[in-house]
């Protein structure tokens, strides 16, 4: 049936009609809000390249978390800026590490039970060299060691589970980390804590602003020997397969907007819950355009989020989580 019998515009005529036939929906419960925790008290330090995003001391983070809960957000993704850094990233798995302390503080607030507390697991915020694993240096040549890094990452996962994390989310991209974390957590009695693996994580320029927020820029070299090459979709599917085989319960795709095709491919292939991370650079880029009046803030924000859901993500990690939840009402 063609025109004039078929007229696609019939179903677009009113807002009510458009609401009725909408295929993809956003709801606050599917939005995860990242927090950057730092030492001190009363600290609320805005990130230059990320308007509206802050380094927060734990007391301030509790306040932020309460607002997130009252907005109906799905959860928080926690990153830490430790007091001091060292070559082994020991702040990541310290009993009194910054994220461990925050988790304990959050667990004392009843109303925060509505939020899923997701702990990002990586060493880059905690290492003096800013790499996600242990660095082995041999003259001018260096190597990010896989297996010794995995041992520390597994220790970190168990430590965060012990402090009260509801979900463990490894973002380091070392081989074999999911299996090692599952082992270590099971051994320590946290067999009920799921793993959300950043299975498909590309070496991306769009993480730039995050590295300011988390103070985690590599001091030399880059992350291309462990994060994936942005040109590779088949490899992304293999990464996901392997992480699932190692015991990942869910997967996280990252970045989101420049990789929507990868999200779609994963959706079609895998039956597990899948999130996508609208990363710092995606947020900063939009904000830069908002500031110049080049894009309409609310509409561009919502369109970017819907595109990620439409590509197939069940939930979205986004710095827009609070703003979007307010729009969704
Ligand atoms: C830690 C980590 C990074 C991000 C999430 N976890 C940075 C990186 O890999 O360099 C990026 C998130 C963002 O850009 O918003 N490895």
């Amino acid at each position: 049936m063609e025109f004039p019998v078929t007229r696609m515009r019939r179903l677009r005529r009113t807002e009510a009609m458009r609401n009725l036939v909408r295929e993809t929906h956003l709801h606050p419960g599917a939005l995860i809000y990242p927090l950057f925790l730092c030492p001190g008290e009363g600290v609320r330090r805005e990130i230059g390249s990320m308007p509206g995003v802050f380094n927060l001391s734990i007391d301030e983070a509790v306040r932020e978390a309460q607002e997130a809960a009252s907005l109906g957000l799905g959860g928080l993704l926690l990153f830490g800026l430790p007091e001091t850094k060292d070559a082994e990233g020991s702040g990541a798995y310290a009993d009194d590490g910054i994220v461990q302390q925050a988790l304990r503080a959050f667990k004392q607030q009843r109303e925060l039970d509505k939020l899923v507390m997701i702990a990002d697991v990586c060493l880059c915020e905690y290492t003096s060299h800013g790499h996600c694993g242990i660095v082995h240096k041999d003259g001018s040549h260096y190597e990010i060691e896989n297996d010794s890094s995995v041992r520390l990452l597994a220790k970190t996962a168990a430590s965060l589970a012990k402090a009260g994390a509801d979900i463990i989310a490894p973002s380091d991209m070392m081989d074999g980390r999911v299996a090692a974390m599952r082992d270590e957590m099971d051994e320590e009695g946290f067999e009920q804590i799921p793993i959300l693996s950043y299975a498909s994580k590309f070496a991306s320029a769009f993480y730039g602003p995050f590295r300011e927020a988390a103070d985690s820029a590599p001091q030399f070299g880059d992350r291309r020997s462990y994060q994936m090459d942005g040109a590779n979709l088949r490899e992304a599917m293999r990464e996901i397969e392997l992480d699932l085989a190692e015991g990942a319960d869910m997967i996280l795709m990252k970045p989101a907007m420049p990789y929507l095709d990868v999200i779609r491919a994963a959706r079609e292939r895998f039956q597990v819950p899948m999130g996508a991370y609208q990363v710092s650079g995606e947020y900063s880029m939009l904000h830069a355009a908002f500031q110049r009046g080049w894009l309409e803030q609310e509409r561009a924000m919502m369109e970017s989020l819907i595109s990620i859901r439409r590509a197939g993500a069940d939930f979205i990690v986004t710095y827009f989580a609070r703003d979007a939840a307010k729009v969704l009402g």
Side-chain angles (χ1 to χ4, degrees), residues 80-96:
L81 290 84
E83 195 100 52
T84 58
K85 304 181 189 240
D86 57 35
E88 286 81 38
S90 60
Y93 40 90
D95 241 343
D96 62 348

Side-chain angles (χ1 to χ4, degrees), residues 79 120 122 124 132 171 198 201 206-207 210-211 223 227 254 277 279-280 319:
F79 296 98
D120 182 273
C122 196
C124 64
C132 302
S171 69
Y198 288 70
K201 177 172 177 179
F206 289 92
Y207 306 150
F210 172 96
R211 294 179 188 167
R223 304 213 198 291
Q227 298 179 350
K254 171 182 183 192
Y277 197 146
V279 300
S280 56
Y319 302 98

